[in-house]
Amino acid sequence: MEQSRKRAKPGRNPGSGSRTSRPRQAEVAQLAGVSQATVSLVLSARTDGKAATISEETRQRVLDAARSLGYTHDPAARRLAAARNNLLGVFSFTATFPTDVQHSYYPFLVGVEQEAAARGYDLVLFTGSSSGGAGAAGPDALSRVRLADGCLFLGRHAPGAELKRLVADGFPVVHLGRREQVEGPAWVGADYVSASRAVVEHLAALGHRRIVLVREDDDAPASADRQRGFLEGLAAVGAEAGPEAVLRCADPAGEVTAERVRALVADGVTAFVAEETDTGAAWRALDAAVREAGLSCPGDVSLGLLGGPPPDLAAAPVPMGFDVPRHQLGAAAVRLLAALVAGEEAHEPLVACEFRTGETAGPPGRRRP
């Protein structure tokens, strides 16, 4: 995805007074006012059709910027780039690789494997266990992925600084899930905003006007997108969006209690929705609290889930909500990564989620304390 950049003044070497490391392609791109993919094509002296589309003016601007910064190719990196072996890395920020068919990541991996095979790539699988997990720090925490030609990352809490360092070094990186840091990795994602808004609009069409979202207390982009769609939905239907419209919980099981649910219902809340996460903590807590409160669903209160239910709860009534297109997202991530490995500028549109009617939503019922 092309991002807007402020062009530095010609001839100026940013940070030259205190630089201790080799200038990176990302800095050349910033100084020249072009994308990093363009810099890579120019500096690699490629002569194929992709490089031929670059104007002489742009080519010279890149060369001038590289000369101004004192940029030189990393010989090891050049040898690696020249010896591509059709391997794509897949890094999961989990202790073990999620190969269980009931794991939420499994459909992603099916899409990844099928698309990679169709494009002639083999996969190298990495997990967070040998790099300290999602909280790994240090410049070499993710260095193992350089064994592949590029790498796809899975995880809500991937270390942004490490991913940006890989990108700045010219290593092809794609994150599965929205990440919009400046100069960060390319990413593919689902349209959680539109899907969450549709859930609220469905509840409003049934007659609900007091709806509460239960979510975990973190800043993961997927959670932020779901909350944004939820609030947009409330605004679109003219529903109430007071201070308790969103319950952000550090410990959903301890905070979403039967007593709290009863109090909210007594105050006029007729529907709750929860976000889907890897743990399913928000939905588990909400479902348990409603049951413990003695409320029927959807007779007394309606429930919605912004995503799919945890696999171990699949036998319960199917919640109203939406299904995340994991298989399609995995395939889209491979397409984007393959394009980056080939030095192409590319992007993948957001993938639409499919609305699910389910069995947990109906017209507002009687209110019980």
Side-chain angles (χ1 to χ4, degrees):
M1 295 183 181
E2 189 68 25
Q3 299 196 30
S4 60
R5 299 180 173 86
K6 294 182 180 179
R7 186 176 301 174
K9 295 181 180 180
R12 184 179 179 183
N13 185 343
S16 59
S18 59
R19 172 177 290 284
T20 59
S21 61
R22 179 189 299 112
R24 298 183 174 129
Q25 284 191 4
E27 295 171 90
V28 176
Q30 182 181 21
L31 184 61
V34 298
S35 72
Q36 192 168 323
T38 297
V39 171
S40 179
L41 288 172
V42 172
L43 297 183
S44 63
R46 285 174 55 166
T47 57
D48 58 15
K50 299 181 185 68
T53 63
I54 300 174
S55 70
E56 186 57 36
E57 177 188 358
T58 298
R59 186 185 307 276
Q60 191 58 52
R61 197 162 70 242
V62 170
L63 294 175
D64 289 344
R67 189 178 303 109
S68 171
L69 290 170
Y71 176 87
T72 57
H73 277 295
D74 180 344
R78 290 198 67 176
R79 285 195 298 272
L80 285 172
R84 291 203 174 106
N85 47 19
N86 285 351
L87 291 177
L88 298 181
V90 181
F91 194 111
S92 170
F93 290 94
T94 55
T96 58
F97 212 81
T99 55
D100 189 319
V101 295
Q102 290 191 324
H103 196 287
S104 61
Y105 283 174
Y106 185 79
F108 287 130
L109 300 176
V110 173
V112 167
E113 192 278 332
Q114 291 180 347
E115 188 68 21
R119 293 175 176 272
Y121 285 100
D122 289 317
L123 300 176
V124 182
L125 308 182
F126 303 92
T127 68
S129 58
S130 56
S131 64
D140 298 321
L142 303 180
S143 60
R144 293 171 299 125
V145 303
R146 296 177 187 270
L147 294 169
D149 300 331
C151 192
L152 165 65
F153 289 86
L154 292 161
R156 283 168 61 89
H157 301 292
E162 289 302 307
L163 296 187
K164 287 195 286 186
R165 184 176 291 109
L166 288 172
V167 172
D169 286 341
F171 184 76
V173 171
V174 171
H175 187 266
L176 212 161
R178 180 172 70 82
R179 298 190 71 85
E180 293 183 329
Q181 306 99 323
V182 176
E183 296 296 343
W187 55 271
V188 298
D191 189 357
Y192 295 132
V193 174
S194 297
S196 299
R197 185 169 58 238
V199 168
V200 175
E201 290 172 347
H202 177 74
L203 288 169
L206 292 172
H208 297 277
R209 285 297 179 271
R210 289 288 305 280
I211 308 168
V212 168
L213 166 65
V214 178
R215 57 163 293 187
E216 294 183 30
D217 186 20
D218 65 37
D219 295 318
S223 295
D225 284 351
R226 286 176 167 93
Q227 178 171 324
R228 175 186 161 193
F230 171 78
L231 294 176
E232 286 184 3
L234 291 182
V237 301
E240 296 185 39
E244 285 206 327
V246 177
L247 299 183
R248 185 165 173 154
C249 307
D251 175 23
E255 298 176 53
V256 184
T257 63
E259 292 74 19
R260 192 169 191 180
V261 167
R262 286 195 198 98
L264 288 168
V265 171
D267 193 42
V269 173
T270 60
F272 296 84
V273 298
E275 67 164 341
E276 176 197 3
T277 63
D278 299 343
T279 64
W283 174 253
R284 293 176 192 278
L286 178 60
D287 181 62
V290 168
R291 293 174 185 274
E292 187 178 343
L295 299 173
S296 66
C297 174
D300 296 322
V301 66
S302 287
L303 300 180
L305 177 58
L306 306 183
D312 58 318
L313 297 182
V318 178
M320 183 273 292
F322 59 81
D323 294 313
V324 180
R326 290 179 168 84
H327 183 280
Q328 295 94 314
L329 284 167
V334 171
R335 289 195 298 269
L336 180 55
L337 184 57
L340 295 178
V341 167
E344 302 171 351
E345 295 192 46
H347 74 278
E348 287 283 335
L350 289 175
V351 180
C353 299
E354 184 176 352
F355 180 78
R356 181 182 62 244
T357 304
E359 305 168 283
T360 59
R366 63 188 184 278
R367 298 176 183 176
R368 294 174 51 180

mmCIF file of all heavy atoms in Angstrom, residues 41 134 147 164 282 284 296 319:
data_model
loop_
_atom_site.group_PDB
_atom_site.id
_atom_site.type_symbol
_atom_site.label_atom_id
_atom_site.label_comp_id
_atom_site.label_asym_id
_atom_site.label_seq_id
_atom_site.Cartn_x
_atom_site.Cartn_y
_atom_site.Cartn_z
ATOM 1 N N LEU A 41 13.877 -1.653 -6.933
ATOM 2 C CA LEU A 41 14.022 -1.906 -8.363
ATOM 3 C C LEU A 41 15.187 -1.126 -8.957
ATOM 4 O O LEU A 41 15.984 -1.647 -9.740
ATOM 5 C CB LEU A 41 12.729 -1.544 -9.100
ATOM 6 C CG LEU A 41 11.529 -2.485 -8.885
ATOM 7 C CD1 LEU A 41 10.290 -1.890 -9.519
ATOM 8 C CD2 LEU A 41 11.822 -3.853 -9.466
ATOM 9 N N ALA A 134 5.292 -13.207 21.714
ATOM 10 C CA ALA A 134 4.843 -11.951 21.112
ATOM 11 C C ALA A 134 5.541 -10.756 21.697
ATOM 12 O O ALA A 134 5.644 -9.718 21.068
ATOM 13 C CB ALA A 134 3.332 -11.816 21.276
ATOM 14 N N LEU A 147 15.483 -16.702 6.638
ATOM 15 C CA LEU A 147 15.752 -17.938 5.904
ATOM 16 C C LEU A 147 14.830 -18.053 4.691
ATOM 17 O O LEU A 147 15.148 -18.742 3.726
ATOM 18 C CB LEU A 147 15.542 -19.152 6.817
ATOM 19 C CG LEU A 147 16.517 -19.305 7.993
ATOM 20 C CD1 LEU A 147 16.021 -20.390 8.941
ATOM 21 C CD2 LEU A 147 17.911 -19.622 7.480
ATOM 22 N N LYS A 164 8.787 -3.411 11.618
ATOM 23 C CA LYS A 164 9.237 -2.233 10.869
ATOM 24 C C LYS A 164 10.721 -2.324 10.539
ATOM 25 O O LYS A 164 11.157 -1.854 9.486
ATOM 26 C CB LYS A 164 8.933 -0.965 11.663
ATOM 27 C CG LYS A 164 7.452 -0.615 11.695
ATOM 28 C CD LYS A 164 7.221 0.803 12.158
ATOM 29 C CE LYS A 164 7.436 0.955 13.634
ATOM 30 N NZ LYS A 164 7.059 2.328 14.091
ATOM 31 N N ALA A 282 -14.272 -12.560 26.020
ATOM 32 C CA ALA A 282 -15.419 -11.666 26.156
ATOM 33 C C ALA A 282 -16.735 -12.416 25.959
ATOM 34 O O ALA A 282 -17.695 -12.239 26.727
ATOM 35 C CB ALA A 282 -15.303 -10.508 25.164
ATOM 36 N N ARG A 284 -17.267 -15.720 26.221
ATOM 37 C CA ARG A 284 -17.433 -16.702 27.290
ATOM 38 C C ARG A 284 -18.008 -16.041 28.545
ATOM 39 O O ARG A 284 -18.925 -16.564 29.182
ATOM 40 C CB ARG A 284 -16.092 -17.356 27.628
ATOM 41 C CG ARG A 284 -15.511 -18.233 26.548
ATOM 42 C CD ARG A 284 -14.134 -18.751 26.975
ATOM 43 N NE ARG A 284 -13.427 -19.359 25.886
ATOM 44 C CZ ARG A 284 -13.610 -20.611 25.478
ATOM 45 N NH1 ARG A 284 -14.496 -21.366 26.091
ATOM 46 N NH2 ARG A 284 -12.911 -21.098 24.461
ATOM 47 N N SER A 296 -33.170 -15.699 29.827
ATOM 48 C CA SER A 296 -33.249 -16.514 28.618
ATOM 49 C C SER A 296 -32.788 -15.698 27.418
ATOM 50 O O SER A 296 -32.879 -14.473 27.399
ATOM 51 C CB SER A 296 -34.682 -17.003 28.395
ATOM 52 O OG SER A 296 -35.542 -15.901 28.109
ATOM 53 N N PRO A 319 -24.599 -18.072 17.792
ATOM 54 C CA PRO A 319 -24.840 -16.654 18.055
ATOM 55 C C PRO A 319 -25.032 -15.861 16.770
ATOM 56 O O PRO A 319 -24.424 -16.155 15.741
ATOM 57 C CB PRO A 319 -23.566 -16.208 18.782
ATOM 58 C CG PRO A 319 -22.520 -17.166 18.326
ATOM 59 C CD PRO A 319 -23.221 -18.476 18.122
#
